[in-house]
């Protein structure tokens, strides 16, 4: 009976990857093979170090550029939108008080404020996505600003015709400004300021991954040179020394450059961006106080608080308290806008206009008290003269306060730009330099190992 033979199983063919690993293991058992592996690893580590450094430095440099070229200008524009709206409201109230004698200067100032706000809203819209919170606020302001301007024009027309309804229209326009436009403008300013803070945070964040990869690369280079010394009794391998020197240069440049960038950006924030914010808020407080002062005479006691006090006079006192502190004399309170602005200013050129603004605020408060005294005893014409007249009116004090605050803002803007430019300048060239030096370090490591390999040929 025939028997069938069974063939032995054919072993499966091994993959190229497995065979490659076997060859690598076999090569690593010899000194030349180990040197090739060491050279490849060293080259890879220094290249990774350079790449991570270039990536993280580029991110921080871009954020620093955003701080100077985008975020801070947008924050300043948002503050200007708020100020233009508040100044338009104040100017409209002042022009209304003058009645038919409203000057061309007042009309032009009001028109310029509305035009400035409109132009800046268009500019802000071009730099903001409509889906963002800032984009929605801009759309809201664009819808409401024409309505406000229409109410003011109606109030002016009625006032020129001697119709008492003009005062009601102006008060309604002011209410729209207080409850709709200014809160939206303030929210826009806060959103842009938050974006500025986020860009500051991104620009100042330490490049930990780059530093860690640099330490690892230097550690590996040090180990390789120690191994070389122990096996050959030669102190230096020129290629490895060159690779180490290039890696040390990149690491030192990275740490020193980023430390200088952090210092410059930190200074631009503490003595630039923060000062600008406080000064903008001080200017807005002064504008709102001036508007309340004008509307006190426009309303003639028709608008009262819950405890039966004049609504606009209460607003004036509150604005002055925020601006300089409680009381009508002496230095600015520590927590007031002018007090904080003086503390943040880091030189006399920054403190001087703040001191001058405070002196004019105190004079303004004295003149306001005289106007209120005249109004309280029924002398409306005298009170009006004290507010918008030609003989030492409160209008004159307000204009001087506003001018000094503008001078302080211009100085602090220059301080911000100088410090921020110095900070971002410390990062200039670092990304490219790190990449170039990393390539040179990799070449040095390969050549250094290659020199050892040549001894086995």
């Amino acid at each position: 009976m025939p028997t069938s033979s069974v063939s032995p199983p054919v072993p499966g063919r091994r993959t190229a990857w497995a065979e490659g690993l076997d060859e690598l293991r076999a090569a690593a058992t010899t000194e030349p093979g180990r040197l090739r592996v060491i050279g490849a690893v060293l080259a890879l580590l220094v290249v990774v170090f350079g790449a991570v450094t270039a990536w993280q430095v580029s991110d921080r440099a871009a954020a620093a550029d955003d701080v100077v070229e985008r975020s801070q200008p947008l924050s300043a524009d948002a503050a200007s939108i708020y100020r233009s709206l508040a100044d338009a409201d104040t100017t409209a109230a002042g022009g209304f008080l003058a009645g038919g004698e409203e000057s061309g200067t007042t009309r032009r100032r009001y028109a310029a404020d509305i035009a400035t706000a409109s132009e800046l809203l268009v500019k802000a819209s071009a730099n903001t996505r409509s889906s963002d919170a800032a984009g929605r606020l801009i759309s809201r302001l664009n819808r409401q600003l024409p309505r406000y301007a229409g109410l003011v024009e109606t109030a002016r027309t009625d006032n020129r015709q001697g119709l008492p309804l003009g005062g009601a229209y102006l008060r309604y326009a002011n209410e729209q400004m207080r409850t709709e436009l200014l809160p939206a403008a303030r929210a826009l300013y806060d959103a842009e300021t938050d974006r500025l803070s986020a860009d500051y945070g991104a620009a100042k964040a330490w490049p930990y991954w780059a530093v860690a990869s640099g330490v690892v690369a230097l550690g590996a280079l040090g180990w390789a040179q120690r191994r070389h010394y122990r096996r050959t009794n030669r102190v230096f391998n020129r290629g490895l020394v060159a690779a180490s020197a290039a890696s040390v240069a990149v690491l030192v440049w990275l740490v020193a450059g980023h430390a200088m960038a952090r210092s410059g950006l930190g200074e631009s924030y503490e003595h630039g961006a923060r000062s600008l914010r406080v000064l903008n808020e001080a200017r807005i407080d002064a504008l709102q106080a001036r508007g309340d002062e004008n509307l006190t005479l426009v309303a003639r006691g028709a608008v009262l608080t819950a405890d039966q006090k004049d609504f606009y006079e209460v607003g004036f006192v509150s604005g002055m308290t925020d601006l300089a502190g409680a009381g009508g004399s002496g230095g600015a309170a520590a927590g007031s806008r002018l007090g904080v602005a003086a503390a943040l200013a880091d030189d006399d050129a920054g403190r001087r206009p703040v001191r001058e603004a405070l002196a004019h605020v105190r004079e303004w408060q004295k003149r306001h008290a005289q106007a209120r005294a005249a109004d309280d005893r029924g002398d409306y014409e005298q009170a009006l003269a004290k507010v918008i007249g030609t003989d030492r009116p409160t209008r004159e004090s307000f204009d001087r306060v506003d001018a000094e605050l503008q001078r302080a803002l211009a100085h602090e803007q220059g301080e911000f730009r100088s410090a921020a430019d110095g900070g971002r300048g410390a990062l200039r060239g670092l990304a490219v330099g790190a990449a170039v030096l990393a390539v040179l370090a990799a070449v040095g490591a390969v050549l250094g190992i290659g020199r050892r390999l040549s001894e086995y040929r």
Side-chain angles (χ1 to χ4, degrees), residues 34-87:
R34 284 191 288 267
L35 287 174
R36 290 187 183 93
V37 172
I38 291 170
V41 170
L42 291 177
L44 177 63
L45 286 175
V46 293
V47 167
V48 167
F49 172 37
V52 173
T53 299
W55 161 53
Q56 292 206 297
V57 168
S58 296
D59 270 1
R60 281 143 185 79
D65 287 340
D66 282 343
V67 165
V68 178
E69 305 294 346
R70 187 168 178 267
S71 304
Q72 198 279 329
L74 284 175
S75 178
D77 285 347
S80 294
I81 290 170
Y82 194 119
R83 183 199 167 277
S84 296
L85 293 174
D87 191 63

Side-chain angles (χ1 to χ4, degrees), residues 22 24 36 40 42 116 123 139 166 199 213 239 250 256 275 302 351 369 409 428 443-444:
D22 286 344
L24 185 62
R36 290 187 183 93
L42 291 177
T116 297
K123 180 181 176 182
S139 297
D199 285 339
S213 62
V250 174
S275 294
R351 287 187 289 270
L409 278 165
R428 191 167 292 123
V443 171

Side-chain angles (χ1 to χ4, degrees), residues 96 154-169:
F96 188 91
T154 301
R156 281 175 161 176
T157 301
D158 288 346
N159 191 41
R160 284 194 296 268
Q161 296 174 357
L163 300 175
L165 195 58
Y169 271 107

Side-chain angles (χ1 to χ4, degrees), residues 143-409:
R143 289 194 306 270
Q144 293 173 345
L145 185 56
R147 298 175 190 170
Y148 168 82
L151 289 170
V152 171
E153 289 306 316
T154 301
R156 281 175 161 176
T157 301
D158 288 346
N159 191 41
R160 284 194 296 268
Q161 296 174 357
L163 300 175
L165 195 58
Y169 271 107
L170 188 66
R171 290 195 299 274
Y172 183 58
N174 174 259
E175 181 183 352
Q176 293 298 301
M177 179 64 76
R178 284 174 178 270
T179 61
E180 300 290 341
L181 284 141
L182 289 182
R186 179 57 190 242
L188 175 62
Y189 178 55
D190 288 341
E192 297 298 352
T193 303
D194 288 344
R195 184 187 305 189
L196 175 61
S197 297
D199 285 339
Y200 263 116
K204 293 172 65 178
W206 272 103
Y208 289 111
W209 287 109
V211 173
S213 62
V215 170
V216 170
L218 281 172
L221 286 166
W223 172 83
Q225 289 174 87
R226 184 171 181 272
R227 182 181 186 277
H228 172 76
Y229 170 72
R230 292 181 65 183
R231 289 177 178 269
T232 66
N233 206 30
R234 296 170 187 165
V235 178
F236 297 114
N237 177 294
R238 292 179 181 176
L240 294 180
V241 168
S244 298
S247 298
V248 167
V250 174
L251 189 59
V252 170
W253 190 2
L254 171 65
V255 173
H258 195 72
M260 291 175 62
R262 280 174 61 91
S263 176
L265 290 170
E267 184 179 351
S268 76
Y269 179 75
E270 290 298 325
H271 301 292
R274 283 186 65 195
S275 294
L276 288 169
R277 178 163 189 166
V278 172
L279 288 167
N280 276 318
E281 290 173 346
R283 203 173 181 196
I284 289 164
D285 283 339
L287 281 164
Q288 291 180 334
R290 177 60 181 172
D292 285 329
E293 183 177 54
N294 288 337
L295 285 164
T296 300
L297 294 179
V298 172
R300 299 193 184 188
V303 184
L304 301 175
T305 62
D307 54 355
Q308 300 302 300
K309 293 182 179 179
D310 188 292
F311 177 84
Y312 297 112
E313 177 62 16
V314 169
F316 175 85
V317 173
S318 176
M320 284 296 179
T321 300
D322 289 342
L323 184 61
S329 61
S336 66
R337 308 288 192 212
L338 294 180
V340 174
L344 288 174
D346 60 346
D347 57 13
D348 191 60
R351 287 187 289 270
R352 192 182 308 115
V354 177
R355 290 197 299 266
E356 293 294 328
L358 176 62
H360 293 310
V361 166
R362 296 309 186 200
E363 181 62 26
W364 181 5
Q365 289 174 306
K366 292 176 184 176
R367 296 180 184 183
H368 177 81
Q370 295 170 1
R372 294 311 310 141
D375 195 34
D376 289 343
R377 64 174 179 263
D379 192 347
Y380 179 80
E381 293 302 323
Q382 179 66 17
L384 188 62
K386 288 289 184 183
V387 173
I388 63 170
T390 56
D391 183 18
R392 295 168 56 81
T394 58
R395 171 184 50 79
E396 182 180 79
S397 297
F398 161 72
D399 287 342
R400 289 175 177 172
V401 170
D402 192 61
E404 292 298 336
L405 290 176
Q406 176 58 33
R407 189 156 68 96
L409 278 165

Side-chain angles (χ1 to χ4, degrees), residues 122-137:
V122 171
K123 180 181 176 182
S125 180
N127 289 281
T128 306
R129 292 191 299 269
S130 60
S131 58
D132 289 347
R136 292 191 292 272
L137 289 167

